[in-house]
Amino acid sequence: RERANYRWKERIILCTLMLDGGNYMKKLFMIAGPMGVGKTTVCQALKTSLDKSVFLDGDWCWDMHPFNVNEETKTMVLDNICFLLNNFIKCSSFENIIFCWVMHEQAIMDGILARLNTDNCRVLPVCLVCSESALKKRLQGDILRGLRQEDVIKRSLERLKLYDEFKGIKLDVTKDTVQDTVQKLLACAENECH
């Protein structure tokens, strides 16, 4: 009973902040980019740089063997992503929700966002890109470490140009360290993104 009263007080304070023009808004980082650009590594580091944060990599929502892409599994992965993101948004323990996935077509990000309750979120759509040579070098490193198959280079390079059409913040991370990219993302979250 005491815990329930605390929750109601917490909700009243939250509602008052929002009604009084307070700046309480959850931040939803939607981070796109080609395979191998460093999304997962950067998002893990971003998560530890932000208080009350949670991270979801879209690939975790269809990690299967053998990997099988068809209409049923495409529908399933989107359902899984939206279910988890909506629960993270709803959960009072989180102020920063970080999501990354390839999202090589604008329609993929738009479709996910259309299914999320973002009324109390500031959505930060960000695309991480790098030069072709940097992407190839990063992917070759992953292949040598046994993290990826060789065919990923061709597929990732083919998709790189698709990010030219991305409607959001584009960050070229060709020469950036992980921490450099995290600092850029934090600046974007504070409206200081260039």
Side-chain angles (χ1 to χ4, degrees):
R1 187 174 185 103
E2 207 169 288
R3 180 178 262 182
N5 286 337
Y6 176 77
R7 290 283 180 217
W8 277 108
K9 287 177 186 173
E10 190 177 88
R11 287 185 181 133
I12 290 167
I13 291 167
L14 173 61
C15 291
T16 303
L17 279 172
M18 288 189 291
L19 290 172
D20 289 345
N23 60 2
Y24 179 84
M25 294 282 285
K26 290 188 178 208
K27 290 182 183 92
L28 174 59
F29 293 84
M30 298 286 289
I31 300 179
M35 295 171 281
V37 76
K39 296 179 303 296
T40 302
T41 303
V42 165
C43 289
Q44 288 286 11
L46 180 62
K47 177 185 71 180
T48 60
S49 297
L50 292 166
D51 194 32
K52 299 181 181 179
S53 61
V54 62
F55 166 49
L56 174 66
D57 185 323
D59 285 343
W60 300 338
C61 294
W62 65 347
D63 186 2
M64 59 186 137
H65 181 77
F67 190 68
N68 181 18
V69 178
N70 59 40
E71 290 309 310
E72 182 181 22
T73 59
K74 285 181 192 177
T75 299
M76 176 204 68
V77 71
L78 290 170
D79 288 347
N80 290 346
I81 288 167
C82 294
F83 176 82
L84 288 169
L85 289 176
N86 273 319
N87 278 329
F88 293 154
I89 290 168
K90 204 170 29 174
C91 183
S92 64
S93 292
F94 305 124
E95 292 178 6
N96 298 287
I97 298 122
I98 305 159
F99 172 68
C100 77
W101 203 27
V102 171
M103 295 185 281
H104 60 288
E105 297 171 353
Q106 185 67 42
I108 297 170
M109 182 175 289
D110 293 345
I112 292 170
L113 286 171
R115 295 174 60 184
L116 301 181
N117 181 2
T118 58
D119 292 343
N120 295 318
C121 291
R122 178 165 168 245
V123 178
L124 296 151
V126 179
C127 180
L128 304 183
V129 294
C130 65
S131 69
E132 285 189 19
S133 59
L135 185 59
K136 188 173 181 179
K137 184 177 178 182
R138 292 174 188 195
L139 288 167
Q140 286 170 331
D142 285 353
I143 292 165
L144 287 174
R145 287 188 297 278
L147 302 173
R148 298 182 192 268
Q149 301 298 313
E150 288 202 33
D151 67 329
V152 74
I153 294 174
K154 181 178 185 273
R155 290 184 294 124
S156 193
L157 290 174
E158 286 172 350
R159 289 182 175 175
L160 187 57
K161 290 175 183 32
L162 297 174
Y163 294 99
D164 292 344
E165 304 300 317
F166 183 79
K167 298 175 191 164
I169 302 160
K170 288 184 196 148
L171 297 180
D172 186 334
V173 299
T174 299
K175 297 179 181 178
D176 291 354
T177 65
V178 170
Q179 204 50 45
D180 291 337
T181 305
V182 167
Q183 290 306 311
K184 286 181 180 180
L185 288 167
L186 292 172
C188 289
E190 297 302 320
N191 294 320
E192 298 171 11
C193 200
H194 305 295

